[in-house]
């Protein structure tokens, strides 16, 4: 174990010559200077080893004993460190600078990660966090996590919870989305349920108000299906008119409907013809610094496609705030070409199907049958969708005034 300690702290191998070299050994013993591996070469010289920390003291004792000391070598970890410092001081300085830079830069945020969001975009959350100071490049110890989370949450009403946790160069943001509040029925404003399209009623259910139609009746768009005016019946043999009651009508009206949708498109279209001329630009972004290279475009005419690809670099499996951007400019010219009729018709049918689906979602309905009719006229292609549907056709239309009882001869509710 002792040899290992000597190897770690380092030692010097010395050759001592003098008329009375034993005096040096006596002085070393008197001054408690440790030495080992003593080897006599002759009566006037010997070799031994001493620790590097005692090297200067040994020179003083050698002068007192009138001996000459010659160093033949140095061994151990401390000796290696001394040689590195003496011969490669630039490397040592650079290493020290790297350690200082790492210890300093580790205080700054490099990555901001958001977890827990489903409908709220991550970019929206990061933008709000940037406003309150939580962003790549921010000084981590200066960020008060709870205050930053509260400030960011005030600007994001879509969230019910937001927490900021800083782990060295990484900020973890945990969010919980708020539940949407259901719409409350306004029962204080008079209203009627009106048909939003033509149809044949299949089922009418009044929750409030009086239905004006029955199952099987044909109704037109804009007709009142469930009225908010209720006539109060007088008792038998009564002579007093009890007036009427005004309410906020509500209910569900399911009807068979027929939808006619139409879309048109030209049979010719302008297309791109690439000339083969290309230009590539490069850029790099480090934290908030943008460095662009080769920004002078050689594309003439101003018509070109711009294809940009951005890649974030990672280190040891973790993303770092360094982005490489490659932008390719491809020049083209415009040329009018005839379009494929079948392809154009299919595209228009897809557009009409999407419109019909939106209408059914709004009316909580379904399409029972759908047919397409295609025709060409004046260089344009027209596609018509004829659909038979079952849907909810009632919509609430509010009126001026207040709900309540209205007596005969009076226009105001009581």
């Amino acid at each position: 174990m002792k040899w290992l300690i000597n190897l770690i702290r380092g030692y010097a191998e010395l050759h001592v010559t003098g008329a009375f070299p034993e005096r040096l050994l006596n002085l070393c013993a008197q001054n408690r200077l440790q030495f080992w591996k003593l080897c006599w070469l002759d009566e006037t010289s010997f070799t031994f080893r001493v620790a590097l920390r005692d090297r200067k003291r040994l020179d003083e004792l050698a002068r007192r004993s009138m001996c000459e000391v010659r160093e033949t070598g140095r061994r151990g970890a401390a000796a290696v460190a001394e040689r590195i410092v003496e011969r490669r001081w630039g490397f040592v300085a650079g290493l020290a600078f790297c350690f200082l830079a790492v210890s300093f830069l580790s205080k700054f945020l490099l990555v901001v990660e958001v977890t827990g969001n489903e409908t709220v975009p991550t970019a929206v959350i990061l933008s709000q966090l940037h406003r309150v100071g939580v962003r790549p490049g921010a000084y981590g110890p200066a960020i008060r996590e709870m205050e930053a989370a509260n400030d960011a949450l005030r600007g994001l009403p879509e969230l019910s919870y937001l927490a900021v946790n800083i782990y060295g160069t990484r900020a973890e943001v945990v969010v919980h989305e708020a539940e949407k509040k259901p719409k409350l029925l306004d029962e204080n404003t008079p209203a009627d349920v009106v048909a939003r399209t033509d149809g044949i009623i299949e089922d009418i259910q009044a929750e409030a108000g009086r239905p004006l139609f029955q199952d099987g009746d044909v109704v037109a768009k804009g007709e009142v299906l469930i009225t908010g005016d209720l006539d109060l019946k007088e008792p038998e043999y009564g002579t007093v008119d009890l007036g009427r009651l005004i309410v906020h009508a509500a209910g569900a009206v399911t009807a068979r409907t027929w939808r006619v949708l139409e879309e048109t498109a030209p049979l010719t279209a302008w297309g791109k013809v690439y000339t083969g001329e290309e230009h590539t630009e490069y850029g790099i972004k480090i934290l908030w610094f943008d460095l662009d290279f080769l920004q002078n475009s050689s594309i003439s005419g101003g018509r070109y496609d711009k294809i940009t690809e951005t890649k974030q670099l990672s280190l040891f499996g973790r993303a770092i705030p360094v982005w490489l951007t490659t932008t390719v400019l491809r020049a083209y010219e415009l040329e009018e070409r005839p379009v494929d009729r079948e392809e154009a018709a299919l595209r228009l049918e897809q557009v009409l199907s999407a419109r019909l689906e939106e209408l059914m979602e709004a009316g909580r309905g379904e399409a029972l049958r759908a047919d397409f009719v295609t025709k060409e006229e004046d260089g344009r292609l027209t596609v018509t969708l004829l659909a038979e549907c079952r849907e909810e056709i009632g919509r609430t239309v509010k009126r001026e005034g207040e709900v309540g009882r209205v007596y005969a001869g009076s226009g105001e509710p009581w």
Side-chain angles (χ1 to χ4, degrees):
M1 180 60 69
K2 191 173 182 179
W3 68 269
L4 181 59
I5 296 175
N6 292 330
L7 186 63
I8 293 174
R9 66 184 184 180
Y11 60 88
E13 296 180 346
L14 305 175
H15 182 277
V16 179
T17 305
F20 302 99
E22 61 275 6
R23 293 180 179 178
L24 178 60
L25 298 177
N26 293 333
L27 290 176
C28 290
Q30 293 174 7
N31 289 273
R32 299 182 180 276
L33 192 150
Q34 296 183 359
F35 60 88
W36 66 95
K37 287 286 185 179
L38 176 63
C39 179
W40 285 93
L41 302 178
D42 51 41
E43 295 181 354
T44 60
S45 63
F46 62 85
T47 60
F48 68 159
R49 297 176 181 178
V50 297
L52 288 179
R53 64 181 183 180
D54 298 330
R55 183 69 179 84
K56 290 184 178 180
R57 292 176 58 198
L58 183 65
D59 289 339
E60 295 178 2
L61 298 177
R63 284 194 295 270
R64 290 169 56 184
S65 60
M66 293 182 294
C67 292
E68 180 183 354
V69 178
R70 180 169 56 87
E71 188 174 306
T72 59
R74 291 192 175 192
R75 302 289 185 272
V80 174
E82 287 183 357
R83 287 198 296 269
I84 291 176
V85 173
E86 292 176 357
R87 300 178 183 179
R88 295 179 175 85
W89 60 269
F91 170 77
V92 175
L95 187 62
F97 176 78
C98 289
F99 277 116
L100 292 175
V102 169
S103 61
F104 176 72
L105 293 178
S106 62
K107 302 294 184 181
F108 291 85
L109 295 183
L110 300 181
V111 179
V112 180
E113 299 176 351
V114 179
T115 58
N117 58 314
E118 295 181 359
T119 59
V120 181
T122 301
V124 174
I125 300 175
L126 290 177
S127 177
Q128 183 63 24
L129 291 170
H130 188 279
R131 293 190 182 96
V132 300
V134 182
R135 61 183 183 277
Y139 187 61
I143 298 176
R144 297 183 178 180
E145 301 175 9
M146 186 173 294
E147 293 184 5
N150 292 335
D151 292 342
L153 190 60
R154 280 193 287 268
L156 296 169
E158 304 88 352
L159 303 179
S160 62
Y161 173 81
L162 188 147
V164 178
N165 302 312
I166 297 178
Y167 305 101
T169 61
R170 181 174 65 93
E172 181 186 38
V173 181
V174 181
V175 301
H176 294 164
E177 296 180 350
E179 296 182 0
K180 293 184 178 179
K181 297 180 180 179
K183 287 186 177 181
L184 299 178
L185 180 63
D186 182 10
E187 298 181 348
N188 298 320
T189 304
D192 299 323
V193 177
V194 179
R196 56 188 178 89
T197 187
D198 303 339
I200 300 176
I201 295 178
E202 291 188 343
D203 182 51
I204 182 168
Q205 300 289 335
E207 298 177 3
R210 178 170 56 92
L212 301 181
F213 294 90
Q214 297 178 352
D215 296 352
D217 290 346
V218 178
V219 296
K221 179 180 180 180
E223 285 190 292
V224 178
L225 304 177
I226 303 175
T227 180
D229 287 347
L230 301 177
D231 291 328
L232 299 179
K233 293 183 178 181
E234 296 79 10
E236 189 176 2
Y237 307 113
T239 59
V240 178
D241 188 356
L242 298 181
R244 56 196 176 93
L245 183 66
I246 299 177
V247 299
H248 185 103
V253 182
T254 303
R256 184 74 61 88
T257 61
W258 286 262
R259 296 283 187 174
V260 180
L261 306 177
E262 189 176 272
E263 285 288 343
T264 182
L267 291 174
T268 59
W270 291 95
K272 297 179 182 179
V273 179
Y274 291 98
T275 63
E277 186 179 5
E278 290 188 2
H279 177 72
T280 305
E281 299 177 352
Y282 301 96
I284 184 171
K285 181 179 180 180
I286 303 176
L287 293 177
W288 53 86
F289 299 104
D290 290 319
L291 302 176
D292 297 322
F293 309 99
L294 305 177
Q295 285 295 306
N296 294 326
S297 172
S298 61
I299 302 295
S300 58
R303 288 179 178 172
Y304 54 85
D305 285 339
K306 187 174 183 180
I307 306 170
T308 301
E309 180 181 0
T310 301
K311 180 179 180 182
Q312 186 175 11
L313 301 184
S314 60
L315 183 63
F316 303 116
R318 287 195 173 276
I320 59 176
V322 179
W323 294 265
L324 296 179
T325 302
T326 303
T327 303
V328 179
L329 308 179
R330 300 179 61 192
Y332 66 85
E333 296 178 353
L334 294 179
E335 180 181 66
E336 190 173 12
R337 303 173 181 174
V339 299
D340 185 276
R341 184 184 181 280
E342 294 183 358
E343 184 179 347
L346 179 60
R347 187 164 55 249
L348 293 179
E349 290 177 4
Q350 293 173 349
V351 173
L352 291 172
S353 298
R355 286 179 55 190
L356 179 63
E357 186 177 353
E358 291 178 0
L359 290 174
M360 293 301 101
E361 288 181 358
R364 300 187 298 277
E366 59 177 341
L368 303 178
R369 180 180 176 181
D371 297 315
F372 295 96
V373 178
T374 304
K375 67 176 181 179
E376 297 181 16
E377 186 178 5
D378 298 331
R380 299 186 69 84
L381 181 68
T382 303
V383 177
T384 304
L385 170 62
L386 306 175
E388 182 181 357
C389 310
R390 179 184 291 114
E391 58 182 306
E392 166 64 47
I393 64 171
R395 64 183 180 92
T396 302
V397 177
K398 295 182 180 180
R399 297 181 294 164
E400 294 184 358
E402 298 178 355
V403 299
R405 185 173 176 180
V406 178
Y407 287 97
S410 173
E412 297 295 332
W414 180 82

